[in-house]
């Protein structure tokens, strides 16, 4: 698990570094001292430190948006709604399952980041700027493989970005929203296909109850065990998780 988290740390650096490049390379002061009357000193946090701490709170969401996490967590959430189980499985289980499945899907990409960027940088054989450039490439390859050309063209037109010579030259400011838009569309398409069999069960149960004159009985209560039975009989969890893992295209060569 620790070996898997090391590339994630490198990816965090990939996001944080471009945002900090525009500032001076000098060390960030956490505390600033100033003399006061009576020979004492006053301490205050600098704006740089405040900005850095704010950035650290946003980094997990930014990094998760560059991985398979978005598609997986949305599909599992739609699956829970299709089953009709209000809080089963709970949110913590869905997020945890999505996170570990994300590590499984992103394994080759994270290993490439670790091999080409993190390990040489830790060994002090390459500078940080070179490690940063190498770490961004595998993530771009993964995102480009999942992004539709129509979504990429939309955001390139909105940003008035000139045509790029190669796909890897696409700036992150355009690639990230294009990737997220494609992931949302794919996730809702998969969710629609998941809803169909459970919707059929709801319709059948509602029709049977109406024909029997049982208007006061909730169709949801009667249909829920049949949904669980169907889901267990077809080995639903293995089917859904396996299909989700296989739905991601291989990264660009």
């Amino acid at each position: 698990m620790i070996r898997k988290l090391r590339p994630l740390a490198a990816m965090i650096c990939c996001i944080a570094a471009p945002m900090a490049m525009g500032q001076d390379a000098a060390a960030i002061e956490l505390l600033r001292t100033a003399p006061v009357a009576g020979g004492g000193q006053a301490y205050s946090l600098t704006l740089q430190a405040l900005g850095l701490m704010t950035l650290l709170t946003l980094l997990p969401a930014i990094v998760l948006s560059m991985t398979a996490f978005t598609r997986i967590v949305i599909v599992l959430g739609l699956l829970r709604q299709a089953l009709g189980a209000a809080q089963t499985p709970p949110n913590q289980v869905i997020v945890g399952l999505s996170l570990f499945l994300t590590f499984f899907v992103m394994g080759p990409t994270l290993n490439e980041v670790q091999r080409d960027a993190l390990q040489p940088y830790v060994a002090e054989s390459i500078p940080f700027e070179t490690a940063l450039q190498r770490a961004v490439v595998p993530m771009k390859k993964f995102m480009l493989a999942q992004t539709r050309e129509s979504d990429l063209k939309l955001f390139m037109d909105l940003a008035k970005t000139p045509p790029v010579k190669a796909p890897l030259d696409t700036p992150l400011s355009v690639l990230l929203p294009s990737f997220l838009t494609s992931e949302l569309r794919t996730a809702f398409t998969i969710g629609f296909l998941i809803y169909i069999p459970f919707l059929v069960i709801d319709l059948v149960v509602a029709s049977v109850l109406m024909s029997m004159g049982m208007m006061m009985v909730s169709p949801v209560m009667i249909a829920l065990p049949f949904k669980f039975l169907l889901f267990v009989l077809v080995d639903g969890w293995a089917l859904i998780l396996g299909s989700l893992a296989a739905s991601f295209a291989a990264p660009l060569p």
Side-chain angles (χ1 to χ4, degrees):
M1 182 63 186
I2 296 176
R3 182 167 57 86
K4 291 289 186 181
L5 289 177
R6 288 177 180 173
L8 189 60
M11 291 175 5
I12 293 177
C13 294
C14 296
I15 303 300
M19 298 180 181
M21 282 296 194
Q23 300 177 357
D24 294 336
I28 297 177
E29 297 177 315
L30 287 179
L31 291 175
R32 178 172 296 172
T33 62
V36 296
Q41 287 184 333
Y43 299 90
S44 63
L45 283 171
T46 64
L47 290 179
Q48 283 184 322
L50 181 61
L52 178 61
M53 289 186 292
T54 304
L55 179 62
L56 289 176
T57 61
L58 299 176
L59 279 178
I62 297 175
V63 173
L64 291 177
S65 300
M66 299 173 63
T67 63
F69 182 82
T70 302
R71 181 189 305 186
I72 295 172
V73 74
I74 290 176
V75 170
L76 292 182
L78 292 175
L79 172 63
R80 183 174 66 180
Q81 293 183 9
L83 284 170
Q87 294 296 329
T88 304
N91 291 331
Q92 293 86 346
V93 175
I94 289 181
V95 172
L97 182 59
S98 303
L99 189 59
F100 284 106
L101 188 59
T102 299
F103 283 134
F104 175 80
V105 173
M106 299 293 298
T109 302
L110 298 181
N111 289 335
E112 188 176 351
V113 172
Q114 183 181 16
R115 182 185 67 248
D116 297 341
L118 184 59
Q119 289 181 350
Y121 175 69
V122 172
E124 299 182 353
S125 59
I126 59 174
F128 176 75
E129 290 77 10
T130 304
L132 176 64
Q133 295 174 358
R134 292 184 181 182
V136 170
V137 172
M139 299 305 303
K140 279 190 173 183
K141 289 180 179 179
F142 174 80
M143 289 189 289
L144 285 169
Q146 323 305 325
T147 304
R148 291 178 173 83
E149 293 184 4
S150 58
D151 296 328
L152 194 59
K153 184 178 183 302
L154 170 65
F155 285 96
M156 290 189 71
D157 293 340
L158 290 175
K160 296 181 173 57
T161 303
V164 295
K165 296 181 180 179
L168 290 178
D169 295 334
T170 306
L172 282 175
S173 59
V174 172
L175 181 56
L176 278 174
S178 305
F179 170 72
L180 286 175
T181 303
S182 296
E183 287 295 281
L184 289 173
R185 179 177 175 181
T186 303
F188 276 85
T189 302
I190 298 175
F192 169 76
L193 298 176
I194 291 175
Y195 254 93
I196 292 178
F198 299 113
L199 181 61
V200 171
I201 293 177
D202 286 333
L203 292 175
V204 171
V205 170
S207 300
V208 171
L209 291 177
M210 289 184 64
S211 63
M212 297 176 62
M214 303 174 65
M215 302 296 183
M216 303 302 295
V217 179
S218 173
V220 176
M221 183 182 303
I222 305 299
L224 186 59
F226 290 101
K227 292 181 181 179
F228 285 165
L229 179 62
L230 173 65
F231 195 67
V232 171
L233 288 178
V234 300
D235 197 7
W237 286 113
L239 183 63
I240 293 295
L241 297 180
S243 301
L244 269 176
S247 67
F248 291 92
L252 297 179

